[in-house]
């Protein structure tokens, strides 16, 4: 990292859209980036002979890194591979030391190669990155030679002003510079936010598009996040911003790029879907009954203009390489590379120099595993060691003990053992009358970012939970609220898990001990909640009675598609979720008496 504030001098291949960037509190103006010359590729100089009519451009892409510089722990750090005989194989994957090696190998012999990301590069990050407001991740992405990224919803976790700092550089406004003599230089790549504008001016907060150039080859990139970002980010993170329809925005800028003579266009969309199989190498275009992909990205892909040649997506943390018909009925590639740097997608775009467009029938794409049996990239190892040294005094402090893995993010079940543990910690910490008098706790599953893994991550010893590991599980440090909800509102809350915006992709809240109900997945929508099964300590919930409920401030604000929770009354603000979690670990475990994984038997699931 340079000790001077100047941005790096390497020649860019990216020409940014000429859109004036509005300022938020004086900090949102994006620094103008130099236009790239055709010969400025990272693999070396261009050809000197007369080019052929077509050239294959390699598009490498990934999404939802979430600051996972080190290999993700436990089941959250694996991918599933379908074998020829129909069985499945679980492969450990991820970590930027291996991602860098994979991408660099993939680029070898490919003079036309561009690397793009589908958003959520930062946010909800492990302590190694999160403790330093994700500066280590931006530095790693610079070293990866990332060319462009869409913003995701988590890029807004700390607000638009902080996002602008990650783009443009400068030390943190409160905590300052983290390394003596070194000023954070910001991202070498442009973050694209075409569908995010300032409410006051209507202008994009960051560049909406960029154009990659090499020896006369031009490919435009448009970046958008999901329109529903305000529903899944804290109110402060999106204050003063407006999020627009993904289809309308992409079509608007595709038309503009076309007028500029840019006929080859890729959309980077932080929204996704769910394939019928969790195997990364699943044939998404298989014609079998029930095969294919579902979710929001399908309708988005069907609505985006045929002028866009491929879609790089994300958000759902799924792996897929699918074709979805464009509005003209022609198949178009839609990809996603899981999450946490466990996969990357390699797409071949055949560029026709005469038409300046992609030959869509020639587009090929595949996901590849970032395996951990390959050589580590030395520069990434050095980066991790440098930041780990700064984080060590905080990260390595023991918080408690567990007897086995307690799965959270890696669990596919509606009720997760780690979700139960977190909810119990929140209830215990906020049950005393002077702390809020909570009778039950609700935890959103998306706030659980990892597993608790029994095997030691460092020198702490097996079964020891360090502060860094606890932080990785709950990196948002949300403040806890205790509120009044009626029994009727509680039942509506449960119904909103599986109806409205959550019907297609249910968000099952994790519940504290004593709160039980039946989830009937054979039914549809709100009917999936068996109302007369909802009980607290064995007693049926009374719709007319008032209950004191603990939840984080994100849920209390109606986040994750739970508008009924905004109707709460008598709010009391308590400690942070992380503080309550660590206090619970300390109070309930010792080296000789560790915490065992909860049974996860509070929600009865009927399939």
């Amino acid at each position: 990292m340079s000790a001077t504030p100047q941005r790096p001098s390497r020649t860019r291949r990216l020409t940014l859209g000429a859109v004036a960037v509005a300022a938020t509190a004086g900090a949102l103006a994006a620094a103008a980036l130099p236009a790239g010359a055709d010969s400025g590729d990272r693999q070396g100089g261009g050809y000197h002979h007369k080019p052929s009519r077509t050239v294959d451009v390699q598009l490498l892409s990934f999404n939802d890194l979430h600051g996972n510089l080190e290999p993700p722990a436990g089941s959250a750090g694996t991918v599933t591979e379908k074998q020829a005989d129909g069985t499945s194989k679980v492969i450990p994957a991820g970590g930027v030391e291996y991602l860098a090696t994979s991408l660099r190998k993939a680029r070898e012999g490919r003079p036309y190669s561009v690397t793009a990301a589908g958003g959520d590069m930062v946010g909800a990050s492990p302590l190694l990155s999160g403790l330093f407001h994700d500066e280590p991740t931006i530095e790693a992405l610079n070293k990866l030679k990332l060319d462009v990224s869409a913003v995701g919803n988590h890029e807004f976790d700390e607000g638009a002003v902080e996002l602008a700092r990650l783009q443009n550089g400068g030390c943190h406004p409160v905590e300052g510079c983290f390394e003596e003599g070194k000023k954070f230089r910001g991202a070498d790549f442009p973050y694209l936010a075409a569908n995010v504008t300032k409410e006051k001016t209507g202008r994009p907060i960051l560049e909406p598009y960029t154009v990659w150039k090499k020896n006369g080859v031009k490919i435009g990139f448009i970046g958008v996040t999901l329109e529903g970002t305000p529903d899944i980010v804290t109110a402060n993170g999106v204050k003063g911003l407006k999020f627009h329809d993904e289809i309308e925005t992409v079509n608007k800028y595709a038309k503009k790029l076309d007028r500029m003579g840019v006929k080859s266009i890729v959309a980077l969309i932080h929204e996704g879907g769910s394939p019928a199989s969790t195997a990364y190498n699943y044939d998404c275009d298989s014609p079998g009954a029930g095969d294919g992909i579902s979710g929001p990205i399908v309708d988005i892909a069907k609505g985006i203009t045929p002028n866009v040649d491929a879609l790089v997506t994300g958000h759902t943390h799924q792996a897929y390489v699918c074709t979805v018909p464009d509005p003209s009925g022609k198949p178009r590639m839609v990809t996603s590379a899981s999450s946490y740097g466990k996969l990357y997608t390699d797409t071949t775009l055949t560029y026709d120099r005469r038409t300046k467009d992609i030959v869509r029938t020639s587009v090929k794409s595949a996901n590849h595993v970032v395996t951990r049996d390959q050589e580590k990239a030395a520069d990434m190892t050095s980066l991790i060691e440098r930041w780990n040294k700064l984080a060590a005094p905080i990260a390595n402090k023991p918080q408690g003990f567990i007897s086995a893995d307690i799965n959270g993010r890696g669990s596919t079940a509606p009720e997760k053992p780690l979700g139960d543990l977190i909810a119990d910690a929140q209830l215990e910490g906020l049950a005393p009358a002077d702390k809020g008098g909570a009778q039950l706790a609700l935890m959103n599953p998306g706030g659980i970012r990892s597993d608790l893994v029994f095997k030691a991550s460092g020198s702490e010893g097996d079964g020891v939970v360090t502060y860094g590991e606890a932080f990785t599980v709950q990196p948002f440090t949300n403040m806890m609220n205790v509120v009044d909800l009626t029994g009727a509102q509680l039942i509506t809350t449960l119904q909103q898990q599986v109806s409205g915006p959550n019907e297609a992709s249910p968000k099952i809240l994790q519940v504290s001990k004593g709160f039980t109900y039946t989830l009937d997945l054979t039914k549809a929508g709100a009917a999936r909640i068996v109302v007369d099964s909802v009980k607290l300590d064995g007693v049926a919930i009374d719709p007319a009675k008032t209950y004191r409920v603990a939840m984080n401030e994100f849920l209390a604000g109606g986040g994750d598609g739970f508008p009924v929770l905004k109707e709460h009354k008598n709010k009391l603000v308590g400690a942070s979720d992380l503080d309550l979690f660590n206090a619970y670990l300390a109070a309930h475990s010792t080296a000789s008496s560790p915490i065992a994984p909860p049974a996860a038997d509070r929600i009865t699931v009927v399939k």
Side-chain angles (χ1 to χ4, degrees):
M1 187 178 288
S2 173
T4 60
Q6 286 81 16
R7 300 180 69 77
S9 60
R10 66 176 174 82
T11 304
R12 282 189 178 276
R13 295 174 299 172
L14 297 168
T15 303
L16 295 177
V19 177
V21 181
T24 297
L28 272 177
L33 302 174
D38 288 348
S39 60
D41 89 294
R42 289 166 179 146
Q43 283 77 35
Y47 295 124
H48 297 290
H49 58 75
K50 184 178 180 180
S52 62
R53 174 168 172 173
T54 62
V55 58
D56 283 346
V57 177
Q58 178 188 59
L59 172 62
L60 301 176
S61 58
F62 58 98
N63 51 276
D64 295 276
L65 181 64
H66 290 288
N68 278 263
L69 303 181
E70 296 178 294
S75 55
T78 62
V79 295
T80 300
E81 182 178 79
K82 186 177 181 180
Q83 306 297 295
D85 62 1
T87 61
S88 295
K89 179 182 178 182
V90 176
I91 305 172
V96 294
E97 295 163 297
Y98 305 109
L99 179 60
T101 298
S102 292
L103 294 179
R104 290 164 185 172
K105 285 181 178 178
R107 292 174 186 140
E108 291 177 0
R110 303 296 297 269
Y112 292 84
S113 183
V114 57
T115 304
D120 275 7
M121 294 296 97
V122 300
S125 304
L127 185 133
L128 175 60
S129 187
L131 186 63
F132 305 106
H133 298 275
D134 281 311
E135 290 182 19
T137 296
I138 298 297
E139 181 185 351
L141 293 171
N142 289 344
K143 290 180 180 293
L144 282 176
K145 306 302 182 187
L146 180 63
D147 287 302
V148 57
S149 179
V151 295
N153 54 286
H154 281 284
E155 263 81 19
F156 294 91
D157 283 348
E158 295 188 48
V161 173
E162 174 63 5
L163 173 57
R165 187 184 75 88
L166 292 181
Q167 175 72 87
N168 302 322
C171 296
H172 192 270
V174 176
E175 298 181 35
C177 298
F178 296 112
E179 294 182 288
E180 188 175 352
K182 292 185 178 182
K183 185 176 180 180
F184 176 58
R185 76 186 192 194
D188 292 351
F189 57 91
Y191 261 123
L192 303 183
N195 67 330
V196 187
T197 60
K198 278 200 67 181
E199 287 182 346
K200 289 184 178 179
T201 66
R203 301 170 77 178
I205 65 165
L206 293 171
E207 297 291 348
Y209 64 87
T210 190
V211 179
W212 177 86
K213 295 181 179 182
K214 172 71 184 289
N215 293 341
V217 175
K218 298 179 182 179
I219 299 179
F221 289 87
I222 303 166
V224 297
T225 187
L226 69 156
E227 184 182 9
T229 290
D231 297 327
I232 52 177
V233 174
T234 59
N236 285 337
V238 295
K239 187 177 182 180
L241 304 179
K242 188 172 183 180
F243 292 77
H244 302 268
D245 181 84
E246 303 95 335
I247 298 173
E248 292 176 3
T249 302
V250 171
N251 288 351
K252 169 185 174 181
Y253 285 106
K255 186 175 182 180
K256 181 171 184 176
L257 285 168
D258 185 70
R259 290 199 302 264
M260 293 167 54
V262 179
K263 307 298 183 181
S264 300
I265 303 172
V266 175
L268 308 176
I269 304 175
H270 191 71
E271 178 60 290
S274 298
S277 169
T278 58
Y280 81 89
N281 57 340
Y282 161 66
D283 181 3
C284 194
D285 293 334
S286 173
D291 280 344
I293 184 174
S294 60
I297 197 60
V298 177
D299 288 339
I300 291 173
K302 288 179 178 179
I304 286 178
T305 172
N307 289 349
V308 173
D309 299 294
L311 278 61
V312 173
T313 72
H315 187 56
T316 57
H317 291 205
Q318 301 297 308
Y320 47 84
V321 173
C322 307
T323 57
V324 177
D326 67 19
S328 70
K330 295 179 180 178
R332 177 169 52 195
M333 192 64 72
V334 180
T335 69
S336 176
S338 185
S339 62
Y340 300 170
K342 294 180 290 188
L343 299 175
Y344 72 91
T345 311
D346 191 335
T347 301
T348 299
L349 302 173
T350 300
Y351 182 90
D352 187 321
R353 291 181 182 276
R354 186 176 300 173
T355 64
K356 300 180 181 180
D357 206 351
I358 300 299
V359 183
R360 286 260 295 270
T361 55
S362 299
V363 175
K364 296 176 292 184
S365 190
N367 276 325
H368 301 276
V369 182
V370 177
T371 61
R372 299 181 194 170
D373 58 1
Q374 59 185 317
E375 184 179 355
K376 295 180 180 180
D379 57 339
M380 294 300 179
T381 300
S382 177
L383 180 152
I384 290 170
E385 289 176 347
R386 198 178 88 242
W387 287 103
N388 262 332
K389 186 176 180 180
L390 291 174
I394 297 173
N396 296 338
K397 187 177 179 182
Q399 302 298 309
F401 303 86
I402 56 176
S403 64
D405 289 357
I406 304 180
N407 288 338
R409 193 71 182 185
S411 170
T412 58
E415 182 182 356
K416 308 173 192 305
L418 188 51
D420 287 358
L421 186 65
I422 291 170
D424 287 351
Q426 294 175 353
L427 175 60
E428 180 170 297
L430 300 173
D434 62 340
K435 302 294 184 183
Q439 296 168 274
L440 68 143
L442 303 175
M443 174 65 190
N444 57 308
I448 306 169
R449 307 305 301 185
S450 168
D451 301 335
L452 277 185
V453 179
F454 178 78
K455 185 178 179 181
S457 58
S459 59
E460 75 274 11
D462 290 348
V464 178
V465 180
T466 65
Y467 183 89
E469 291 166 337
F471 183 97
T472 298
V473 169
Q474 294 195 101
F476 299 111
T477 317
N478 276 313
M479 301 308 294
M480 292 299 300
N481 293 176
V482 184
V483 301
D484 281 354
L485 291 176
T486 65
Q489 289 170 326
L490 263 177
I491 291 170
T492 299
T493 298
L494 298 181
Q495 292 172 332
Q496 287 178 350
Q497 298 176 116
V498 290
S499 63
N502 291 331
E503 182 166 2
S505 182
K507 290 186 174 67
I508 306 302
L509 297 170
Q510 307 300 286
V511 297
S512 55
K513 186 176 181 180
F515 189 70
T516 57
Y517 69 95
T518 296
L519 176 67
D520 188 348
L521 296 180
T522 67
K523 297 181 180 179
R528 289 176 169 178
I529 304 300
V530 180
V531 174
D532 59 8
S533 73
V534 184
K535 298 178 180 180
L536 180 61
D537 296 327
V539 178
I541 291 293
D542 182 347
K545 187 177 177 181
T546 296
Y547 299 85
R548 293 292 283 168
V549 185
M551 66 189 75
N552 60 46
E553 59 187 345
F554 170 66
L555 274 180
D560 266 353
F562 292 95
V564 69
L565 294 179
K566 292 193 291 184
E567 300 172 10
H568 65 258
K569 296 180 179 179
N570 299 325
K571 180 174 73 174
L572 183 145
V573 178
S576 75
D577 52 8
L578 181 59
D579 286 345
L580 292 179
F581 187 53
N582 284 330
Y584 189 87
L585 292 173
H588 291 272
S589 67
T590 63
S592 60
S593 181
I595 293 174
D601 56 0
R602 300 165 191 180
I603 303 173
T604 300
V605 180
V606 178
K607 296 182 180 180

